[in-house]
Amino acid sequence: MGQTLRQIHGCDLLSNGYKIILFAFSFMSYCSIVQVGASIHEYHTESFIRRSNSFFFHGGSEGLYASKPHSENDKLVSEDKPINGKSFIRFESVTFRRTKQSAEQKNEMQQRTGLVEAIILEVRDRDKIGGSYLNSDAICCTPELAKDGSCKVGEVIIHQNLDNPNGPQRIQAFFEGKNEELTMPLHTIEINSTGMYYLYFMFCDPELVGTVISGRTVWRNPDGYLPGKMAPLMTFSGLVSLAYLVLGLVWFLRFVQYWKDIMQLHYHITAVIALGMCEMALWYFEYANFNATGSRPMGITIWAVTLTAVKKTISRLLILVVSLGYGVVRPTLGSITSKIVLLGVTYFVASEALELVEHLGNINDFSGKARLFLVLPVALLDACFILWIFSSLSKTLEKLQIRRSMAKLELYRKFTNALAVSVLLSVAWIGYELYFNATDPLSELWRRAWIIPAFWTLLAYIILVVICVLWAPSHNPTGYAYSEETGDDFDEDSIPLTGSGVKVAGDLSTVLERKERKASLAAADHHVFGLSEDLEEDKRE
């Protein structure tokens, strides 16, 4: 059964970019409030799959915590709400429909003419299901295996451990006579042991081939409907939202204090802080709603997902334009604005698609196959951002070193070092994430899985804090603001998207040539003005 489980599983830049991204963001608001399957797992006339000598349908999988023990006082308080503190899986309106041909082959006088079983097991008990425990590949009991009395013919083999009453559990439901439909009675299985639980609907009778399932099951943890794998993210989102709020207040006070010396870049940083705070607050309320109701309203979830994609895109664009020297060594981005906007819009679309699949798909605690096809474009675009950012930083540092702008040079060196550290951390974390997913195919480590997405959120916040510290408003912004003497050495088209073959305008010889030209013009002006003064003196004499 263990093998079976594995087989199942610039000002112009940002103004244009904001318009395009906000258009897509506004488009999402037209989505109606539709309930998305969450801890309420819904089945819509779905078929069973053959495995060995059985037929199964995967009904869901989630990390569940054990029910909380209640004292007498707790029971009195929670009489009106008996589900408080309880962890359970409840079957609601689960209906099986077999084919008409299968039903007609049965005797109308027979009470039981077909068996369907619901099997609930913790992932660590997977070896107790099927013939793997009995050195057989069979999942359903056969006459040969039934000879020793360990199982009954036609049922799924379950090896019960008398020392563990919370082991695999089965619920049996029977078709009657020639009835084509079978509806399971309302049934609730209380969870008294913390673990990753799987639900399978199974039958062993080949005559039931073609049977389909409809209905739903409700999964609940002691503190709400939020799956165990996601539960810590609600608290994390709330804390990060408060962190953004604190950063925003500090930045706002600094912004107001030095409002006369504000650069255009400061407005873009403010926008990223506001987006981050709204994003994390919206996720907190989305998780809280999910935890209270068991379902995810599509409208709220799409807004949260879209805001995440917008913030990620704007954050990367901010780092890119800072690396290009916008507002520090160049007043505008020139013709490369269109390339930056194109990259940003492409990243937004790819990131939005990935986020939608992750948060609006099946809530089971394992990733769907569709995610694999959407991760690759996002990863490639991230690589493009990284190459362009570090290529731009290299050229910016080179120019500042030539101009001997020591204050700006030191600023960009600190920024480059911070980004280099973040990239190294990202690469190391990606390696850990790959290792984590490869060694945990059945989500047995579900209680630690929340740290994977939390790391990226925290890293983005730290990078934003670094930018806020380095580019904080001050009384003397000229130390890092754009000035003509540094700006005229830069060609706005000098840094293309690709890192190789980067064009460097204004090299050392060109700089010297410009200086000589300026010096000669100044000397000529001096002589002309001097000559005119001599003529005036002659006239007076």
Side-chain angles (χ1 to χ4, degrees), residues 69-319:
H70 288 288
S71 65
E72 292 299 325
N73 292 334
D74 293 334
K75 291 180 180 179
L76 292 175
V77 172
S78 61
E79 281 182 355
D80 295 334
K81 297 181 179 180
I83 65 174
N84 281 356
K86 295 292 184 182
S87 181
F88 59 78
I89 301 173
R90 185 168 60 222
F91 296 81
E92 296 183 354
S93 304
V94 177
T95 301
F96 306 97
R97 185 176 182 85
R98 59 183 172 181
T99 62
K100 186 176 181 179
Q101 295 80 359
S102 176
E104 290 178 347
Q105 294 176 2
K106 304 301 180 181
N107 189 336
E108 190 173 358
M109 302 302 295
Q110 289 182 298
Q111 287 187 339
R112 297 181 174 183
T113 56
L115 170 64
V116 181
E117 298 180 279
I119 309 296
I120 300 173
L121 73 150
E122 193 179 346
V123 68
R124 64 185 179 185
D125 294 330
R126 59 186 178 271
D127 292 334
K128 297 179 181 179
I129 300 296
S132 58
Y133 183 83
L134 303 173
N135 296 321
S136 171
D137 293 332
I139 296 176
C140 294
C141 187
T142 62
E144 292 77 14
L145 296 174
K147 290 179 180 179
D148 60 359
S150 60
C151 61
K152 294 182 180 179
V153 177
E155 295 183 358
V156 175
I157 301 171
I158 297 180
H159 176 75
Q160 294 289 353
N161 186 351
L162 298 178
D163 297 329
N164 181 20
N166 296 318
Q169 302 183 53
R170 78 168 89 217
I171 303 173
Q172 295 184 331
F174 296 89
F175 284 95
E176 295 183 358
K178 292 187 176 183
N179 293 341
E180 295 182 21
E181 285 191 356
L182 161 65
T183 299
M184 293 182 64
L186 181 66
H187 195 84
T188 301
I189 300 294
E190 185 173 344
I191 303 300
N192 295 310
S193 176
T194 299
M196 171 61 67
Y197 284 85
Y198 283 76
L199 168 63
Y200 292 98
F201 295 97
M202 308 180 72
F203 63 82
C204 300
D205 188 354
E207 294 182 0
L208 292 179
V209 172
T211 298
V212 294
I213 180 174
S214 302
R216 69 179 194 172
T217 54
V218 178
W219 304 53
R220 192 183 191 279
N221 269 294
D223 296 321
Y225 292 97
L226 202 61
K229 190 175 182 179
M230 299 171 62
L233 291 175
M234 182 172 70
T235 303
F236 176 78
S237 299
L239 293 176
V240 176
S241 178
L242 292 176
Y244 270 104
L245 178 61
V246 172
L247 177 62
L249 289 175
V250 174
W251 180 263
F252 177 74
L253 293 176
R254 190 91 176 181
F255 196 94
V256 172
Q257 183 180 2
Y258 304 105
W259 67 273
K260 292 183 179 180
D261 302 305
I262 294 301
M263 300 188 304
Q264 190 67 37
L265 185 63
H266 291 143
Y267 291 100
H268 304 328
I269 296 174
T270 304
V272 174
I273 295 174
L275 282 172
M277 182 172 58
C278 294
E279 174 207 6
M280 299 314 298
L282 196 56
W283 274 120
Y284 174 80
F285 288 114
E286 200 272 349
Y287 286 133
N289 179 79
F290 186 1
N291 193 51
T293 64
S295 296
R296 308 180 82 166
M298 184 178 289
I300 297 177
T301 305
I302 287 182
W303 274 90
V305 164
T306 305
L307 196 58
T308 296
V310 170
K311 197 264 291 185
K312 289 171 64 176
T313 303
I314 297 299
S315 298
R316 282 157 176 76
L317 291 178
L318 174 63
I319 296 174

Side-chain angles (χ1 to χ4, degrees), residues 428-482:
W429 193 257
I430 290 173
Y432 171 75
E433 186 174 350
L434 292 174
Y435 170 80
F436 184 90
N437 293 328
T439 57
D440 187 36
L442 300 179
S443 297
E444 295 178 83
L445 303 177
W446 57 276
R447 279 179 283 187
R448 290 189 294 173
W450 69 274
I451 66 174
I452 300 295
F455 170 83
W456 301 111
T457 301
L458 193 60
L459 181 63
Y461 177 79
I462 293 174
I463 294 175
L464 181 59
V465 170
V466 170
I467 293 177
C468 290
V469 171
L470 293 178
W471 275 268
S474 65
H475 274 313
N476 183 27
T478 55
Y480 54 84
Y482 168 78

Side-chain angles (χ1 to χ4, degrees), residues 316-335:
R316 282 157 176 76
L317 291 178
L318 174 63
I319 296 174
L320 178 58
V321 298
V322 167
S323 302
L324 287 166
Y326 174 67
V328 177
V329 294
R330 60 169 70 214
T332 65
L333 295 172
S335 60

Side-chain angles (χ1 to χ4, degrees), residues 347-399:
Y347 184 85
F348 168 75
V349 173
S351 179
E352 174 80 356
L354 177 59
E355 294 286 339
L356 286 174
V357 168
E358 287 186 335
H359 296 283
L360 294 182
N362 197 330
I363 200 61
N364 291 338
D365 281 344
F366 58 85
S367 300
K369 293 182 179 179
R371 184 178 184 275
L372 298 176
F373 297 98
L374 297 173
V375 168
L376 185 59
V378 175
L380 291 176
L381 290 171
D382 275 326
C384 289
F385 268 112
I386 292 173
L387 290 175
W388 198 356
I389 286 169
F390 279 97
S391 175
S392 303
L393 282 173
S394 175
K395 303 307 172 184
T396 302
L397 288 170
E398 181 180 348
K399 290 297 182 179

